[in-house]
Each structure stands twice: as C-alpha cells, then as structure tokens.
Amino acid sequence: NGTASSPLTFILTGITGLPMSSYWMASPLCCLYLLMLLGNCTLLWMIKTDHSLHTPMYYFLSMLSVADLGLCLSTLPTMLAIFWFKSTSLRFEACIVQMYFIHSFSAIESGVLVAMAFDRFVAICYPLRYASVLTSSLIMKAGGTIFMRGICVVLPVAVLIKKMPFCRSHVLSHSFCLHQDMLRLVCGDVRVNSLYGLTAVILTKGLDSLIILLSYMMIIRAILSIVSQEARAKAFSTCISHLCAVLIFYIPLIGLSIIHRFGKHLPPLTHTLLADAYLLVPPVLNPLVYSWKTKQIRRRILILLCRR
C-alpha cells in the first residue's frame, strides 16, 4: 500500500468508448451546464423580483432550483476537466468533498419534492385552509429542516469512507465521485459503510418517495370526488409540473440503484449513462418543465422577451 508515502489519488473515467479529447462531447456538455445555470438562475430571479410569485408553491420551486444548482456545480469541475483538459486524476480529499455535496444536494432535492407534494395536497384537498396552513414561518422551517437533513444525513457517509483503506485499483467508473463507486475500491470491511449508506438512502429518498406516493393517492381521491369534469382537469393540471419533476428525479435514481446492486453483468456504459442522467437531467429539465407548464412563469418569460 503506497498511500502512506504519497497522497491517494483517484482516476476518473469519462464515457466508455469515447476518447478523453472528444471535443464534440465537451461542447454539448458545456452547453448543457450553461442551460442548467441559465434556467435555474432565471427561475430564481423571476421568483425574487415578481411579487405575484411570492407564494408557497414558488418558494418551494426556488428551493428546488437551489438544489439543482448545487448538483450542477458539484459535478461541473470534474466533468469539464475530463473532457476539455483530459485531467482525470482527483485527490482523495477532493473526491470525498465532491461525493458529499452530490449526495447532500440529491437528498435535499428529494426533500423539496416532498414539500412540493405537501403543497399540492393542501391546495387540492384543503383549499380553504391553504393560506393558514402554509404560512411563511412553516415554509422557512420546512426549508431549514430539508437542508439540514441533507447536510447531516450524508456527513457520516463521508466520515466513514475517509477512514477506509484503499489498496486496490483507484479507477472510478464515472466522471465524478459517488459513494457506491468509491466503496467498491475499499480493501477493508465495508459492512458498516454499506449498512449506513443503505439506511441513509431509506431515510431520505425511500421515505420521501413513500410520502409522495401517499400524497398523490389522497390527491387523486380528492380529484375524483369533484363533480365537474372541468374542475377535475384544472385541479390535476396544477400537479403536472410536480409529477414531471418527481419522475425526472426518481426514474434515473431507481434505475441506478438497481443496476448498482443487480446489474454488475451489464456493460459499463449502462452504469455511466444512468449516473449521468441521474445527476444531469433533473437540473436541465426542471426549469423547462416549470416554464412550460406554469402559466405565471410562462407569462413572465413572454413579458421579458417582449420588452427586449
């Protein structure tokens, strides 16, 4: 084990089958990151400057944009370093920091999606109590709890893996550091790490997905009890954007979790593409979905374009 005499360095992997100097891949990646930044920053700016958007739904949407920006900026340095500068090495400490932020912002985004599901549940099932239930104080407390949960739950993951010995290959499977990917390179006993990692996932994304599912079961029951067909359609249309955000986030996550545990025989490209989709797709699509499906945001964008 040479890690005692020299700093431990991991080797990151680009997309399997593509050369590291593939500028035709680097250019779309840059455009993708610019689109992420532009879309989420525009949403945040519109919600801040337009007083008609100062409602619980849009406050939660601004939290979602912050989480998306966090995910985006967590993967940005290594992704661009690999495809633009062919720099594949990353120090152990930097890898742990990146892993921590990726998993923290992912847990935060999951929590925000739960808060948005609760917002839609109250708006549809108890519309007359909406303003009294979702007060500014409750929203601030919910936001603080969501961010603190993401920060605290993932912290032991980083602490535990920092103490583990790495004496095998230091080549990671992705263009960024993920806990499961780092764990497979450990040459010691990883049962505690695996157990806590699984517990953290269950307490965050597992519990969150269950709450969202239960919320929508009650929302659908409330919508079906509405007599007017037009009122049903209108009530359901207010949930479309959030449903799209949930599917965009959870489908790649579930797929990645399944292939990490049961798809070891699958080609490496499958793992790489699903991991990239899990981290890159939600920050890109969420602003587009909400801009397209939300009338107030769409109107605000049209007003800005007309002024220009």
Side-chain angles (χ1 to χ4, degrees):
N1 189 354
T3 59
S5 58
S6 61
L8 177 59
T9 302
F10 286 113
I11 306 299
L12 301 174
T13 305
I15 296 178
T16 307
L18 290 180
M20 289 297 176
S21 59
S22 180
Y23 290 109
W24 67 268
M25 185 64 200
S27 297
L29 265 178
C30 282
C31 294
L32 200 63
Y33 276 107
L34 286 174
L35 187 60
M36 290 181 200
L37 294 170
L38 179 62
N40 287 290
C41 289
T42 302
L43 269 183
L44 287 171
W45 179 78
M46 283 194 298
I47 292 169
K48 183 180 176 182
T49 57
D50 191 342
H51 290 283
S52 67
L53 301 180
H54 291 181
T55 62
M57 173 182 168
Y58 295 105
Y59 288 141
F60 288 132
L61 179 56
S62 65
M63 294 179 199
L64 186 68
S65 289
V66 170
D68 281 337
L69 282 171
L71 272 177
C72 168
L73 295 175
S74 297
T75 59
L76 176 66
T78 53
M79 290 282 280
L80 294 187
I82 288 172
F83 290 104
W84 274 116
F85 307 109
K86 295 183 283 185
S87 175
T88 59
S89 61
L90 188 67
R91 289 280 296 272
F92 177 56
E93 293 78 9
C95 195
I96 287 181
V97 169
Q98 185 183 50
M99 179 208 71
Y100 173 73
F101 279 112
I102 287 174
H103 289 294
S104 290
F105 280 112
S106 179
I108 289 168
E109 180 154 351
S110 179
V112 173
L113 290 173
V114 172
M116 296 175 86
F118 178 71
D119 170 80
R120 292 299 85 205
F121 165 72
V122 176
I124 292 173
C125 298
Y126 303 99
L128 299 179
R129 298 177 58 188
Y130 183 77
S132 62
V133 172
L134 286 168
T135 60
S136 298
S137 173
L138 179 65
I139 293 167
M140 289 179 64
K141 289 176 182 176
T145 302
I146 289 167
F147 277 84
M148 285 305 297
R149 185 191 71 160
I151 291 168
C152 295
V153 168
V154 181
L155 186 59
V157 173
V159 172
L160 285 170
I161 203 165
K162 191 176 188 304
K163 298 178 179 179
M164 300 304 293
F166 291 85
C167 52
R168 299 177 187 169
S169 166
H170 295 160
V171 179
L172 296 173
S173 305
H174 306 294
S175 307
F176 34 77
C177 299
L178 295 177
H179 179 246
Q180 304 95 318
D181 200 21
M182 294 177 68
L183 210 57
R184 69 179 179 83
L185 303 181
V186 173
C187 58
D189 187 358
V190 298
R191 283 179 294 181
V192 174
N193 300 64
S194 296
L195 182 60
Y196 183 80
L198 180 61
T199 303
V201 170
I202 291 172
L203 291 177
T204 53
K205 292 152 192 173
L207 185 60
D208 292 348
S209 58
L210 181 61
I211 294 171
I212 292 171
L213 180 62
L214 292 174
S215 298
Y216 270 98
M217 287 173 63
M218 290 185 280
I219 287 170
I220 291 170
R221 187 176 65 178
I223 290 174
L224 292 176
S225 66
I226 299 173
V227 177
S228 169
Q229 190 74 23
E230 184 180 349
R232 281 187 194 178
K234 186 176 180 181
F236 186 71
S237 67
T238 64
C239 301
I240 294 294
S241 298
H242 179 253
L243 274 173
C244 290
V246 169
L247 294 175
I248 288 167
F249 179 78
Y250 277 103
I251 288 177
L253 171 62
I254 292 169
L256 185 62
S257 300
I258 289 173
I259 67 167
H260 261 301
R261 297 196 178 274
F262 307 110
K264 295 180 181 178
H265 61 285
L266 294 173
L269 182 60
T270 307
H271 294 254
T272 303
L273 292 179
L274 264 177
D276 290 346
Y278 161 54
L279 294 177
L280 300 181
V281 170
V284 173
L285 292 187
N286 283 338
L288 298 177
V289 166
Y290 275 93
S291 300
W292 172 50
K293 294 299 297 181
T294 308
K295 186 190 298 182
Q296 292 91 329
I297 294 177
R298 190 167 63 245
R299 186 173 64 240
R300 178 72 169 158
I301 291 173
L302 290 174
I303 289 171
L304 289 173
L305 292 174
C306 290
R307 283 179 180 173
R308 288 173 182 259

